Amino acid sequence: MFKFQDFDGKILALRAEMTAPVARIISTKLSSMPTPIRLFYVCKVFRYGQSYVEREREFWQAGVELVGNNSSEADGEILALLVSSLRKLGLKEVRLDIGHASLMKDLLKATALDEEKRDTLRSLLANRDQARLEKFMEQNNFNSKLRETLLQLTLCRRLDEVSSLSLDSPKYGKAGEHLRKLLKIKDVLADYGIENLVFFDFSLTRKIEYYTGMVFEVSVPNFGLPLGGGGRYDHLMEKFGKLKLPAIGFALEIEKCLQALTAQCFQFPEKTQTKILVASKSRKTAIEAVDIIRDAGVAALLNVTKNAKNKTIEYAKLAGMDYAVFVESSLEKPVTVYESRSNVSKRAMLKTFLQQIGGKTE
Amino acid sequence: MNRKIRIAIPNKGRLKEPSVKMLQNIGIEILEEERTYVCKTSDPRFEVIFARAFDVPVYIHYGAVDLGVTGYDLILEREAEVYDLLDLGFGKCQLVVAVPENSAIDSVNDIPSVARVATEFTNISRKYFENIGKQVEILGVRGTAELAPAIGLAQIIVDISSSGETLRKNNLKVIATILDSTCRLACNKIAYRTFEKEIAELLAKIKQDG
């Protein structure tokens, strides 16, 4: 995080993500809103990483939060919204991987290993290094049930496969409960028609600490980094006040989404806003013309130089103007329209010309 | 997914030959290596590119390649977030702290606070010396860190050593080992999702073979 000191010595920080600020706003300013509350944001966030890779510091994030409800329907709505947002952007083969923030934690506790060995186990699971995982479990005398359970959890992808697992031993803490809660979403996803896009990933825990339940990450093939993700955070709100509200949300990294679109050979639509440069010997008529063009919903610039006609045309071209329009002393007379793209000029009444290029005229 | 799975392997040095051999052993023969940048293989599902071992972790991190053969030391040095799927067993080496044989420094505790350290492994070195509470100046060099003490660039080096030969030749002694490394098969995290079946098959073959 970027941190610095205020003049009175207080520590200030640039926001590294938006969920905590949103939680603060809800508990301090929106506490009387009926729940569930649904909010969205499109904001810049700032992160400092010492890492070699991914050196950017400033990111655009677009995200949503659904606050005040912890049903599977709420979870499903957020996942479905994530998928449809990316599809609407034009991304293909969107895939969601879901895990649970506490599932691994509880199972690691069940191993009765010391902190250091738990870290080793966590990293073996996170790295999908099955050979060393099996060796590690053997060396540390895991019983066959636990060994089997961990291996199956790392291998399961389909939610259906996961539902055949049982973690209901008292030794596993709340792991069984977590898994059952997570799997409840299956039917909701089916109703949204996106169950085939959603996969289970035991090793997915996301690095943010406030997550309490389901966590997820979204990706597309052909682009090597996740596009965004999120999760359920049922105890964050109460840190900012008396309000206790469960919540779930996601954030998309806009720059990564753009890169992914490029990787998928997406044709970005060209900007369609037409731009016109207006020039006239009569300043008053030129100003009048600019107003009429803008009222028609077309962008207009007034030529403020006293350049000759050919220079003005050249400027219009270089500045990306679609047309240069030369106005006489009165708009009762036709104007000369010069089109940058075709190098062709013609004479027309201003309003007729605006109608031809799709401007709104009354 | 309708494209080939791209594997990066080291383009030179001691990791290249065993990497090529490992692929051969599991039935992936590299075709037309000389002429092209991306090489076709005898298995139409895979293609191979040759890259600097030092850069392979970054290629994988960003998904420029799906899989890659590189050292564990390099994955850590490049701070790449990749799946470290399999220890390939070859390329065993240690990342060590070394000083001239005649130096008064016999352990890291003797390192004075104004020492300069020459290394290719600036990230790992910075973390290591921070961790043991030694304030040193880290100089990033490309290769041949072992020459630095002789020419007075630095009193200390951090470098990899497999047999100890290079260190001995340059009259250097090891005063600490930072980590043990081997060659790994690493994987981009999204590519793992996309090609899980093919990758599992590949892993099974390598394990069976080795």
Side-chain angles (χ1 to χ4, degrees), chain A residues 32-256:
Chain A
S32 52
M33 277 259 276
T35 59
I37 303 170
R38 290 170 171 90
L39 296 174
F40 80 93
Y41 56 84
V42 182
C43 278
K44 276 183 178 173
V45 297
F46 305 87
R47 273 183 228 137
Y48 177 75
Q50 278 198 321
S51 171
Y52 243 132
V53 287
E54 298 185 57
R55 297 297 289 254
E56 298 92 338
R57 300 288 184 253
E58 186 180 9
F59 309 84
W60 278 103
Q61 269 196 347
V64 302
E65 317 286 348
L66 195 161
V67 180
N69 186 289
N70 65 356
S71 65
S72 307
E73 282 74 17
D75 293 357
E77 175 177 319
I78 291 297
L79 292 185
L81 182 57
L82 180 51
V83 170
S84 61
S85 308
L86 289 176
R87 282 179 170 167
K88 200 132 208 184
L89 277 181
L91 283 163
K92 291 183 198 114
E93 297 182 78
V94 175
R95 169 182 171 134
L96 274 168
D97 284 75
I98 68 173
H100 193 289
S102 318
L103 188 59
M104 193 188 289
K105 240 185 264 170
D106 282 24
L107 284 172
L108 285 172
K109 264 189 219 151
T111 60
L113 295 171
D114 61 39
E115 201 51 51
E116 201 187 326
K117 282 195 170 166
R118 258 187 233 180
D119 275 345
T120 313
L121 179 57
R122 194 180 293 123
S123 114
L124 290 176
L125 288 166
N127 272 312
R128 304 187 172 283
D129 186 337
Q130 215 181 319
R132 268 183 297 168
L133 174 64
E134 284 178 44
K135 207 164 136 198
F136 178 88
M137 293 196 291
E138 205 181 297
Q139 281 168 349
N140 289 282
N141 302 317
F142 280 34
N143 66 51
S144 57
K145 176 85 173 52
L146 183 58
R147 216 184 294 181
E148 190 68 9
T149 305
L150 284 173
L151 277 179
Q152 273 182 330
L153 277 169
T154 57
L155 291 175
C156 279
R157 286 297 164 268
R158 288 279 167 198
L159 297 182
D160 290 328
E161 299 164 11
V162 189
S163 41
S164 66
L165 294 177
S166 167
L167 302 177
D168 280 329
S169 155
K171 276 188 236 151
Y172 296 163
K174 285 186 171 166
E177 204 180 299
H178 294 326
L179 195 64
R180 256 198 312 283
K181 180 93 212 288
L182 186 63
L183 289 170
K184 266 201 195 158
I185 200 176
K186 225 172 51 178
D187 296 335
V188 186
L189 295 176
D191 287 343
Y192 275 106
I194 58 167
E195 75 275 26
N196 287 332
L197 315 179
V198 181
F199 296 81
F200 176 71
D201 185 345
F202 176 54
S203 71
L204 185 72
T205 48
R206 310 232 344 133
K207 284 175 199 157
I208 299 169
E209 271 170 30
Y210 51 66
Y211 288 129
T212 53
M214 178 175 78
V215 289
F216 51 91
E217 217 169 70
V218 67
S219 59
V220 294
N222 277 351
F223 186 69
L225 300 165
L227 303 177
R232 175 158 283 290
Y233 52 101
D234 288 347
H235 303 297
L236 182 62
M237 221 64 71
E238 57 212 56
K239 295 205 168 135
F240 296 98
K242 275 181 258 160
L243 218 54
K244 284 190 180 178
L245 289 173
I248 180 168
F250 70 70
L252 282 172
E253 310 273 343
I254 302 290
E255 286 88 354
K256 298 226 172 88

Side-chain angles (χ1 to χ4, degrees), chain A residues 266-324:
Chain A
F266 179 78
Q267 292 289 322
F268 289 93
E270 297 218 354
K271 272 200 182 152
T272 49
Q273 172 72 286
T274 308
K275 284 179 275 183
I276 297 175
L277 180 70
V278 177
S280 175
K281 289 215 167 69
S282 156
R283 185 172 57 215
K284 189 163 185 288
T285 323
I287 291 172
E288 205 184 316
V290 163
D291 284 342
I292 290 171
I293 296 171
R294 286 179 185 157
D295 283 345
V298 178
L301 289 185
L302 183 64
N303 180 30
V304 291
T305 70
K306 302 235 165 18
N307 284 341
K309 195 168 176 182
N310 58 347
K311 275 237 160 140
T312 305
I313 287 172
E314 197 184 331
Y315 170 78
K317 258 187 179 173
L318 292 173
M321 299 282 132
D322 299 286
Y323 301 96

Side-chain angles (χ1 to χ4, degrees), chain B residues 37-50:
Chain B
Y37 168 61
V38 178
C39 308
K40 285 183 184 155
T41 70
S42 55
D43 185 330
R45 292 172 301 170
F46 299 98
E47 61 189 15
V48 165
I49 77 164
F50 288 92

Side-chain angles (χ1 to χ4, degrees), chain B residues 93-111 128-129 146 149 155-180:
Chain B
C93 65
Q94 295 182 314
L95 191 67
V96 299
V97 185
V99 296
E101 264 160 13
N102 58 9
S103 163
I105 302 172
D106 283 317
S107 83
V108 285
N109 296 325
D110 305 334
I111 294 175
Y128 173 77
F129 287 106
E146 66 274 9
Q155 301 93 314
I156 302 166
I157 69 161
V158 170
D159 207 356
I160 49 166
S161 164
S162 40
S163 62
E165 185 78 14
T166 313
L167 294 178
R168 268 196 301 279
K169 258 194 214 157
N170 288 284
N171 302 317
L172 297 167
K173 62 179 176 188
V174 173
I175 57 165
T177 300
I178 298 179
L179 61 91
D180 292 295

Side-chain angles (χ1 to χ4, degrees), chain A residues 50-56 93 95-97 125-132 134 154-155 157 201 203-204 207 217-227, chain B residues 1 3 54 58 60-63 72 77-87 120 122-123 126-127 130 184 188-196 203 207:
Chain A
Q50 278 198 321
S51 171
Y52 243 132
V53 287
E54 298 185 57
R55 297 297 289 254
E56 298 92 338
E93 297 182 78
R95 169 182 171 134
L96 274 168
D97 284 75
L125 288 166
N127 272 312
R128 304 187 172 283
D129 186 337
Q130 215 181 319
R132 268 183 297 168
E134 284 178 44
T154 57
L155 291 175
R157 286 297 164 268
D201 185 345
S203 71
L204 185 72
K207 284 175 199 157
E217 217 169 70
V218 67
S219 59
V220 294
N222 277 351
F223 186 69
L225 300 165
L227 303 177
Chain B
M1 196 58 224
R3 66 170 173 89
F54 196 70
V58 182
I60 303 169
H61 176 105
Y62 284 100
Y72 176 61
E77 174 58 27
R78 302 308 300 259
E79 293 168 345
E81 284 188 30
V82 299
Y83 287 141
D84 173 6
L85 292 178
L86 186 66
D87 186 339
E120 266 190 290
T122 51
N123 283 321
R126 194 185 58 237
K127 280 186 196 148
E130 264 171 26
R184 306 294 168 90
N188 173 267
K189 293 189 172 184
I190 308 297
Y192 186 88
R193 293 174 186 167
T194 316
F195 299 114
E196 184 160 9
L203 286 170
K207 282 180 202 167

